[in-house]
Structures are given as structure tokens and as C-alpha cells.
Amino acid sequence: MEQRYMFKRGIQTATTVFLAWFKFMETDVIAIIGPQCSPIAHIISYVANELQVPLMSFASDATLSSIQFPFFVRTMPSDLYQMAAVAAVIDYYQWKIVTAIYVDDDYGRNGIAALDDELTARRCKISFKIGFRSNAKKSDLLNLLVTVSNMESRVIILHTGSEPGLKLLSLANGLNMMGNGYVWIATDWLSAYLDANSSVSAETINGMQGVLTVRPHTPKSKVKSNLVSKWSSLSKKYNHSDLRTSAYGFYVYDSVWTVARALDAFFDDGGRISFTNDSRLRDETGGTLHLEAMSVFDMGNKLLNKIRNVNFTGVSGQVQFNAQFELIHPAYDIISIIGNGMRTIGFWSNYTRLLSTVLPEDLYSKPPNTSLANQQLYDVIWPGETAQRPRGWAFPSNAKELKIGVPNRFSFKDFVSKDNATGSMKGYCIDVFTQALALLPYPVTYRFIPFGNGTENPHYSQLVQMVADNDFDAAIGDIVITMSRTKAVDFTQPFIESGLVILSPIKKHITNSWAFLQPFTLGMWCVTGLSFLVVGVVIWILEHRINNDFRGSPRQQIITIVWFSFSTLFFAHRENTMSTLGRGVLLIWLFVVLIIQSSYTASLTSILTVQQLDTSIRGLDDLKNSDYPIGFQVGSFVEEYMIKELNISQSRLKALGSPEEYAENLKLGPKKGGVMAIVDERPYVELFLSTYCKIAVAGSDFTSGGWGFAFPRDSPLQIDLSTAILTLSENGELQRIHDKWLKTGDCSTDNAEFVDSNQLRLESFMGLFLICGAACVLALLIYLGITIRQYLRHEQPGPAISVDAGSSTSKRSLRKFISFADDKQPPPKKKRAMSLSRSSMPTMPMSNRPGADIDVES
């Protein structure tokens, strides 16, 4: 193979050596293996593209792609996948902000840019990133680490080369930045260094205890073991036993075999090696580069296609390229530095894009499971020799003072207000915040900044937006958590429940003489009365032929129907039911009557004993359907909610600024320039009702929510304060603060009872009426079928008759059936009794027999 083809690798060192690449390119070249250095790979890719020579590179820079450079072939995983693995680790441990240190070249900048994209997709971010020159001095690196130590994040991503990376870790250890609270994640440079060097000093390895790193995953195989064994033998033979191979070595080995296999396929397919000079290549400056000597490989595209179609199992795993001409199934080992070596704590695979303790090659034969619940890593010993997961951030000693916006309220000052005497902020919300802050394991420097002029309540949506715009570092107070606000900021755990309720005047007694009609709505009264009559008619139909109680003159039968129907209301009906169908219908109807009677009694009792609203507004539906003015608190989100969510016209809304205005407007009512009802949040309403006794809540809460403190997106302080608020709730301190500021009196207790509409609506009983109606219809259908069957039997024994043609025949038949149905049907008797009665009774005249009025033609 070596006699037929010439392979030329570039030397990847300093800029002066870079010129050697062009010296090599002056000869006829059909393929290039290398380089690993990303800056050099960028430039060589341009040359390879012009000369149509496939470039087999190990450079992991994500910006190098076959789209820009068609002859560029990456033979190891891109940094896109490496940074996805790093971001998955960060997200797995629930760290939201990280600091990135990188070497300031194409490799470093592009790698951190790829990491930033992956973190953003997981709602994490790089809060601070800092680069350095590859030849930076020790003093520069020290200043860099001091700057990093003053940052908020304690999760540090190190994306450099091995030499500056080891130097940074050593300096960080000297600055106590490898202790408790810190997290260091190095990219694959660290694993490559440790894999390739067996004689790492104890001082070096001790200085990186607890550091996490990643390594391109190469499956275990016999081919791989044989190569490692041969490499070890060669290293000992040439007195370099401390040098071992790493994952990069495996990819280089497979790259050579990829070109070799592609060339075999190239020649087998009739390919030939020929070159053409390009007149555009010339050195006009007269330098040492002889560009005119470079030649274009005529069949470079054909060799490139053979390379892309290669498919074999190498020492690095399956060597096969996907549609984007990247190696399939990129995966990484997640490694922890512990003791004298490395320990694999899990794997990341692009197949599932999740962390797992299962080998990636074992996942490829199964459908990808992308559920985050399946993520798992083994336990880690973190810097400082602790097994507890670091929080990942802290307030540095020189942290800036937090500017916290606080609403300067005009009304309901028990919640939050400014003390004019001292200029400080006080109230229920302030006490909750300071008590929660006292539970944090670190000091927080802050300053309250009043928001609003104090002459009227400020607009809270503006306050929240100022947090989102970073004008404030946080906002505390009686800030309700709404969906629109959560899109701009993060809120803590709610520290008090809050829902919208309706306030309306009440009166103690009812003076209406028609109060007994109030338990039912008009529709309910009508349907109930109609049901009584319908059931009476149905029972009459079922009992008329066999029951003497339901027979008589038409006037008597009508009176019987009405009397029987309404007497069932008191279960006082004296008529007996003889038919099975009638008894079934009556049984169901009495059950319905029982339910209606009990409900009416309970509702009337409530109406006569409970305080009633002195308004037609009895709930949310009445509020929306009426045309009365509605009050709301100045600065509240209630105005926007009623306009957008309830579709209430803005012309009906009236802004009220104080509890006194609440009471005055409710007292005046809509006819005198006031309002019919007020919509406000429950905490304000409860405080208001502790003073004003002639007001009550109409209906129940029609929204649910709570108050929280607002912080910028992904603020770690929000998470810790939420935990602190839960602690205050569990130990009873939150209730103590509530009782201190918001203790309600007897007046509030009297009015705290929710007064709602006590009228019973038809919808509540629709099921009962439907069941009863269905029973009546079914009974009538069965009765009709039985009656028709009896009628047909009655007509069969008669002599043959002839009937008139046309409509007169139908009318005559109908009259016959009606007459038959109206006649009394004798109750069944025993045969013996029937025969005796027939022998003793005189013969019935023809005119008195059933059906005597039927015309029969002889």
C-alpha cells in the first residue's frame, strides 16, 4: 500500500511550521490526513478545496463543515456534540449559569459559541466568559482566575489546550478555587492528556480532584485491544513507555484506513491519478511559496465520494458518514477525576441526547428513549471531597448591592408602604422577604428603592417590566403572579394565596313578601309545574281502563288529574294505582318530588336566615351580563383582566384608590354615580372587610393565584428564596407574620361568610326530569302496544265486514279504537268464577256489549 500511494501529514506546531504545508502541496497530493489544530485546518481547507484534494481532518471546530469546504471530511466528532454533552451535564445537575474560560482562537471561540447555543436551548446561560492568548503569561492567568472568582457562577467550563489548561488548574488550586462550592468541567483536552500520559505527577493529579471531563466514546473491541498492545510494545522499544494512545490516536488510525479503503474502491472503479496545473495559482510577490507548482487532482470528486461511502468497523467504532458527512453515532464518556486516575460516571449519546449509565452501543439496537426521567449518572466526589452536589453559584465578597424595587402604596399600607419618618419600607411583604433572606446560607447586600409617588398605588406591571429590563435586580411586595408576567420574569414560591372576588353591599333582613318564590328560578317553576300535570295525565292514561278512581264524567276526570298531580307533592294522593306501568311511573315521580321538595326547603331556609346581597350581582355571570359600573383598585392587574379575559367594556370600569372610596361607591350604588360591585384580590378584600361590615363577598373566587417576589430570568436567588419561603410556611413563621399585620376583627368574621345566589336552577335537576320523562314515554309506548294488541284480538272473532273506502274508513276505525280504549276493562277473574257468573247472569243486550256501536253490515 505504501509503495502505491503517498500519504503526507502536516506538522501542527507554531505558525512558522505552517509554511511546511504549502511546501508539501507543491508536490502531487491526492489526500491529506490532518491537521488537528483548528486554525491551521481552516486555512488548509481553502487550499484543499481549490486543489480538489480530500482533507481528512481531526479538527473538532464546529464551524468547519462540508457545506463551506466540500473536500473537508471530519473523522472525529464535532465540538457541537462535545458541547451538547457538557450542556447535558450542566442541565442534569440543575445549574443555570456558568463561567467559560477558553483559549482565544478559532477552536476556543467557536467551541464556546456552540456551548452557548446548547445551554440556551436548556434555559441555561454563560453568565461570564473570558478568553486568553495561547502564550499568556502566568500573571495574566492569575488575573483571569481572580476575575472569575469574583463572578456569581461557581461552575467553570475550561475549553483550552492541555498546556494552558493544566497551568490554570494548578493556579486555581493555589487560589483555593478547587474547594467546596466550585465545579470544574474540562473539555476533552484533559481526558486526552491523561489517556496519553502514564507518568502524570502526583501534584498535578491532586490539583484536579473532583474535576469533570469528557472523552469521545470508543467501544471496546479486540481490534482496539490489539492496537493498544502494539503501541505499548513500540513505545517500550523506543524508550517512550510513558506515552500511550488516546481517543485521538484511534481516530487518526481509522482515518488512514478510511483513505486506504477508499483508494482501493477508487482504483477498482477505474479511477486514475492525474493532475492539472491551475493558471490562477501564482505567487506575485516573489516569495518562497511556489504556488504555480501546485496541481489540481483531476478525479478528486470521485475519491471524495469513495471516502464518504466507506463503511467498516475500526478501532474507534463504526466508521460511516451520515448525510451531513459526519461520523454516525457520536458519543462521549462523562469522567470524574478521583484518586490517581479517572472514573467513568456515565455516557452521553447523540442517539438519545441524554445522559445514561448504559453503554451507547447497547442503545443503538433499541428505539431512542428521549424522556428526561431516564437520565442517570453515577455519584461524583466533587472538589473539596464532598458528595453533596454544589449549588453552583454564590454571592461573591465584592458583589454589587442589589437594587430592589418596592411599591410605594397609597392604600392598604399594611401590605407594604414607606415610613415617612424614617424613609424605610415596612409591611407584611417586607417582613416575609427579610425573614426568608435570613434563612439563606450567605449574605445578600440590598437596597430598597420605592416605586411610586405614594399619592396613588403604582402600576405593578410597570414594576415587573423594570425587573425584566434590569432596571431593578428584583421586585418585592404584593405582586400577583400572572401568566403574562411569568413570560418576562421568574417568581418565587407564592407566600400568600390570592384570587379575584366580587364585593357587594348586604342587608340583614328580607322584606320581600314573595320571598317564598326565590328558591326556584322562573324556568324551574315552569318546568316543575308542567311536570306535575304531565305525570298526572300519564297516570290517568295508564289507569283509566282498569281503575274506577280515574273514571267518571269528563269534568270529574280533569279534576282527578289535577288533584292527583299536585297531591303527590305532599304524598297525599288517595287514588290507588292498579297497573304495573302506573305504579312504576309513580314510584319514579315520587322520588323526583322528594328531591325537589328537600332542595326547596333547604334553599328557602338559607334565604330566610342568611344575609342577602342588596344587588342583582350575585356571581361572575351576572357581573359579565349586566351593564352596571364595576370598581377596581388603582394599579391592579384587574382592569386588564376584566377587559381581555371577561370581555367587559372599559367604559363600565371605575378606578378606586382607597378603602374609603370602596365603601362610598358601594353605598351610592350605580344610580347615584357609584358602582354596583368591586372586583379585587382576596387579601385586600379580607383587610377591607375587617373594617366595613355592610359589605360582603358575592360568590366564590373566580381565579386562583398568589403573590410572589419577582427576579430576572434564571436568577439563582429566586430558587433559594422559594426554598426559604417554604421553610417559613412549614415552621409557622409565615402565619405569625400574617397575624401581625393582617389580623382581622369580629366585623370581618361576621362578613366572611360567602353569600352566593341561593336560587335553584333548572340545570341542577335536568337529569331527574329526563329520567322521569323517559319513564313516562316508555310506559305510554308499552301501554299503547298492549292496547292495540287487545283491540286487534277483540276485532278478530267478529264476522266479515265491509268498510267504506277512503277517509271515512280511517275515521271510523279511529273512533272504534278510541271507544275501545275508553271502555272499562274488567279485572281478570278465575275461570270457575267466570263460568258461574255467566250461568247466573242474564244475557247482556247487544247494545251494552263492548263494541256495540260498531257498524256491521250483513
Side-chain angles (χ1 to χ4, degrees):
M1 186 72 69
E2 294 179 1
Q3 294 175 356
R4 292 179 59 188
Y5 320 120
M6 181 184 296
F7 298 97
K8 307 219 174 166
R9 284 195 66 196
I11 303 173
Q12 307 170 27
T13 54
T15 306
T16 55
V17 184
F18 170 72
L19 297 176
W21 279 99
F22 289 94
K23 288 292 184 180
F24 281 123
M25 301 301 291
E26 292 176 5
T27 60
D28 294 335
V29 177
I30 62 172
I32 305 171
I33 300 178
Q36 179 181 343
C37 181
S38 294
I40 298 177
H42 270 277
I43 299 176
I44 297 300
S45 295
Y46 283 102
V47 179
N49 208 42
E50 291 296 327
L51 300 182
Q52 298 187 14
V53 175
L55 173 62
M56 312 293 290
S57 177
F58 331 117
S60 59
D61 186 354
T63 60
L64 285 167
S65 69
S66 59
I67 297 177
Q68 183 181 9
F69 305 109
F71 284 84
F72 174 83
V73 181
R74 195 194 314 274
T75 58
M76 71 167 294
S78 164
D79 275 346
L80 286 176
Y81 304 112
Q82 178 179 198
M83 295 309 172
V86 173
V89 173
I90 294 170
D91 186 41
Y92 176 78
Y93 289 112
Q94 300 179 0
W95 298 314
K96 293 300 181 182
I97 56 174
V98 301
T99 296
I101 303 175
Y102 60 96
V103 60
D104 195 8
D105 58 11
D106 289 342
Y107 164 75
R109 288 189 298 270
N110 296 333
I112 293 302
L115 175 63
D116 200 8
D117 292 340
E118 290 291 339
L119 290 175
T120 301
R122 291 168 169 81
R123 290 195 63 184
C124 306
K125 67 178 181 180
I126 300 176
S127 60
F128 179 72
K129 50 187 173 184
I130 183 170
F132 63 91
R133 300 190 309 274
S134 58
N135 60 347
K137 299 178 181 178
K138 180 180 178 179
S139 58
D140 296 333
L141 297 179
L142 278 173
N143 292 333
L144 180 149
L145 289 173
V146 170
T147 302
V148 170
S149 67
N150 290 329
M151 294 297 108
E152 187 178 30
S153 173
R154 289 293 183 263
V155 181
I156 303 171
I157 310 300
L158 197 55
H159 186 53
T160 68
S162 59
E163 183 178 349
L166 292 173
K167 190 181 297 184
L168 279 168
L169 290 176
S170 176
L171 293 174
N173 192 34
L175 294 174
N176 294 324
M177 294 177 65
M178 301 294 292
N180 283 335
Y182 280 93
V183 177
W184 288 83
I185 302 178
T187 51
D188 58 359
W189 65 266
L190 181 56
S191 62
Y193 172 81
L194 295 177
D195 283 337
N197 294 273
S198 60
S199 59
V200 180
S201 65
E203 182 182 359
T204 301
I205 200 71
N206 289 336
M208 59 179 71
Q209 294 294 303
V211 175
L212 296 184
T213 185
V214 295
R215 174 175 57 200
H217 178 73
T218 55
K220 293 181 180 180
S221 65
K222 187 175 181 180
V223 178
K224 178 180 174 181
S225 300
N226 293 338
L227 177 63
V228 172
S229 178
K230 291 179 181 179
W231 180 268
S232 299
S233 301
L234 289 173
S235 298
K236 293 178 181 178
K237 180 179 179 180
Y238 294 101
N239 297 322
H240 292 291
S241 58
D242 58 332
L243 293 179
R244 298 180 299 187
T245 185
S246 65
Y248 282 96
F250 299 141
Y251 286 111
V252 172
Y253 184 83
D254 283 343
S255 298
V256 175
W257 277 104
T258 299
V259 175
R261 288 172 179 267
L263 283 171
D264 277 340
F266 174 79
F267 286 114
D268 291 342
D269 196 27
R272 58 186 179 83
I273 298 176
S274 62
F275 299 90
T276 303
N277 290 329
D278 191 342
S279 59
R280 296 175 300 171
L281 297 174
R282 61 182 182 274
D283 187 1
E284 296 181 351
T285 61
T288 58
L289 296 177
H290 301 286
L291 299 180
E292 65 278 1
M294 297 183 182
S295 302
V296 178
F297 182 26
D298 294 333
M299 303 194 75
N301 277 307
K302 186 170 186 177
L303 178 59
L304 178 64
N305 289 332
K306 297 301 181 183
I307 291 174
R308 290 175 173 175
N309 291 327
V310 164
N311 185 359
F312 69 97
T313 301
V315 294
S316 63
Q318 188 68 22
V319 180
Q320 184 182 354
F321 298 97
N322 58 20
Q324 292 75 37
F325 308 118
E326 300 273 358
L327 288 174
I328 64 171
H329 299 323
Y332 281 85
D333 301 338
I334 312 301
I335 298 170
S336 171
I337 309 299
I338 182 172
N340 295 325
M342 298 182 290
R343 172 174 173 260
T344 301
I345 61 172
F347 308 94
W348 178 91
S349 170
N350 189 56
Y351 184 68
T352 60
R353 297 191 69 82
L354 297 178
L355 298 170
S356 174
T357 55
V358 180
L359 289 170
E361 53 268 26
D362 293 340
L363 300 174
Y364 300 149
S365 59
K366 306 174 184 177
N369 190 339
T370 58
S371 172
L372 293 177
N374 295 325
Q375 289 202 120
Q376 183 183 5
L377 290 177
Y378 292 119
D379 295 336
V380 178
I381 302 298
W382 301 100
E385 298 182 354
T386 176
Q388 183 177 3
R389 179 187 67 87
R391 185 171 58 242
W393 74 281
F395 273 100
S397 57
N398 62 343
K400 68 175 183 178
E401 185 179 60
L402 295 180
K403 297 182 297 181
I404 300 179
V406 183
N408 187 13
R409 294 190 57 87
F410 172 72
S411 61
F412 297 108
K413 294 187 175 183
D414 296 291
F415 293 104
V416 59
S417 64
K418 181 180 180 181
D419 191 336
N420 295 326
T422 62
S424 60
M425 305 302 294
K426 64 178 183 179
Y428 167 73
C429 299
I430 300 297
D431 280 8
V432 172
F433 176 74
T434 54
Q435 288 296 323
L437 214 59
L439 296 177
L440 300 185
Y442 47 83
V444 179
T445 306
Y446 62 90
R447 174 167 56 95
F448 289 142
I449 300 177
F451 176 72
N453 53 24
T455 59
E456 66 175 7
N457 296 332
H459 289 275
Y460 283 66
S461 294
Q462 297 178 6
L463 175 61
V464 172
Q465 188 59 44
M466 292 183 71
V467 175
D469 296 338
N470 294 320
D471 295 327
F472 288 133
D473 297 311
I476 69 168
D478 47 340
I479 306 172
V480 66
I481 303 173
T482 65
M483 182 183 67
S484 59
R485 292 174 181 175
T486 55
K487 294 179 180 178
V489 298
D490 285 344
F491 283 93
T492 61
Q493 173 77 16
F495 56 87
I496 189 173
E497 292 184 358
S498 174
L500 292 182
V501 294
I502 302 172
L503 275 176
S504 191
I506 61 171
K507 62 182 181 180
K508 295 289 185 178
H509 302 288
I510 295 177
T511 58
N512 189 355
S513 302
W514 299 95
F516 68 91
L517 295 176
Q518 292 183 8
F520 287 168
T521 60
L522 178 61
M524 182 66 181
W525 278 117
C526 293
V527 172
T528 303
L530 182 62
S531 298
F532 275 102
L533 294 176
V534 168
V535 171
V537 171
V538 171
I539 295 296
W540 176 83
I541 293 174
L542 298 177
E543 296 289 325
H544 177 66
R545 295 192 66 208
I546 62 175
N547 195 336
N548 290 329
D549 291 340
F550 290 89
R551 300 188 63 82
S553 64
R555 178 174 175 273
Q556 289 176 338
Q557 294 184 55
I558 292 174
I559 293 175
T560 299
I561 291 173
V562 175
W563 164 255
F564 179 82
S565 300
F566 289 97
S567 63
T568 57
L569 177 63
F570 310 101
F571 307 101
H573 52 286
R574 62 187 180 187
E575 293 80 6
N576 294 323
T577 52
M578 300 177 61
S579 67
T580 304
L581 293 175
R583 290 174 179 175
V585 171
L586 184 62
L587 180 64
I588 296 175
W589 172 244
L590 291 178
F591 175 74
V592 175
V593 169
L594 177 64
I595 299 299
I596 293 175
Q597 185 187 63
S598 302
S599 302
Y600 175 87
T601 304
S603 180
L604 182 61
T605 302
S606 175
I607 290 174
L608 296 175
T609 55
V610 179
Q611 297 174 357
Q612 295 300 301
L613 298 178
D614 192 16
T615 176
S616 59
I617 303 293
R618 300 178 182 271
L620 180 60
D621 292 336
D622 294 334
L623 187 74
K624 293 191 295 184
N625 297 330
S626 69
D627 295 326
Y628 297 124
I630 303 171
F632 68 92
Q633 185 180 164
V634 174
S636 172
F637 80 103
V638 175
E639 178 183 15
E640 180 182 2
Y641 178 84
M642 287 194 290
I643 294 174
K644 293 184 178 180
E645 301 296 331
L646 303 183
N647 296 320
I648 295 176
S649 173
Q650 190 171 9
S651 60
R652 293 179 55 196
L653 304 182
K654 184 176 182 179
L656 305 175
S658 66
E660 292 77 14
E661 290 187 30
Y662 279 25
E664 182 65 23
N665 278 268
L666 288 173
K667 181 180 180 181
L668 291 174
K671 296 182 180 180
K672 296 182 180 180
V675 297
M676 181 59 72
I678 295 174
V679 177
D680 206 350
E681 298 170 55
R682 174 161 296 282
Y684 302 124
V685 169
E686 289 179 348
L687 195 61
F688 172 79
L689 294 178
S690 65
T691 305
Y692 297 91
C693 301
K694 296 184 178 181
I695 314 293
V697 176
S700 57
D701 299 24
F702 54 89
T703 66
S704 60
W707 292 352
F709 303 140
F711 289 88
R713 281 286 189 190
D714 302 320
S715 171
L717 190 58
Q718 172 258 339
I719 299 175
D720 285 359
L721 269 181
S722 295
T723 304
I725 289 172
L726 288 174
T727 303
L728 291 176
S729 177
E730 292 174 357
N731 62 21
E733 184 65 18
L734 202 59
Q735 185 62 43
R736 188 195 65 78
I737 299 173
H738 180 278
D739 295 341
K740 172 186 174 182
W741 290 98
L742 310 176
K743 188 71 174 180
T744 56
D746 295 335
C747 181
S748 174
T749 304
D750 293 339
N751 290 342
E753 182 179 2
F754 300 151
V755 183
D756 199 354
S757 173
N758 292 291
Q759 282 192 314
L760 299 174
R761 301 180 182 274
L762 178 61
E763 292 80 4
S764 303
F765 299 91
M766 185 60 71
L768 286 173
F769 287 124
L770 289 177
I771 293 173
C772 185
C776 291
V777 171
L778 181 62
L780 288 176
L781 291 175
I782 295 175
Y783 174 78
L784 180 62
I786 293 174
T787 304
I788 292 174
R789 179 170 173 269
Q790 292 176 349
Y791 173 72
L792 293 177
R793 285 184 176 181
H794 175 267
E795 287 298 309
Q796 285 177 356
I801 60 174
S802 60
V803 294
D804 295 333
S807 60
S808 60
T809 304
S810 300
K811 293 180 181 179
R812 195 159 40 247
S813 299
L814 180 62
R815 285 197 302 269
K816 292 177 184 179
F817 177 74
I818 294 175
S819 177
F820 177 80
D822 183 60
D823 286 338
K824 177 175 173 58
Q825 175 183 343
K829 299 179 181 179
K830 296 182 180 179
K831 289 185 177 181
R832 181 177 182 85
M834 290 178 62
S835 61
L836 291 173
S837 61
R838 288 176 182 173
S839 61
S840 60
M841 291 178 62
T843 303
M844 181 182 295
M846 188 67 181
S847 59
N848 294 334
R849 293 180 183 177
D853 57 343
I854 299 177
D855 294 333
V856 181
E857 295 180 4
S858 59

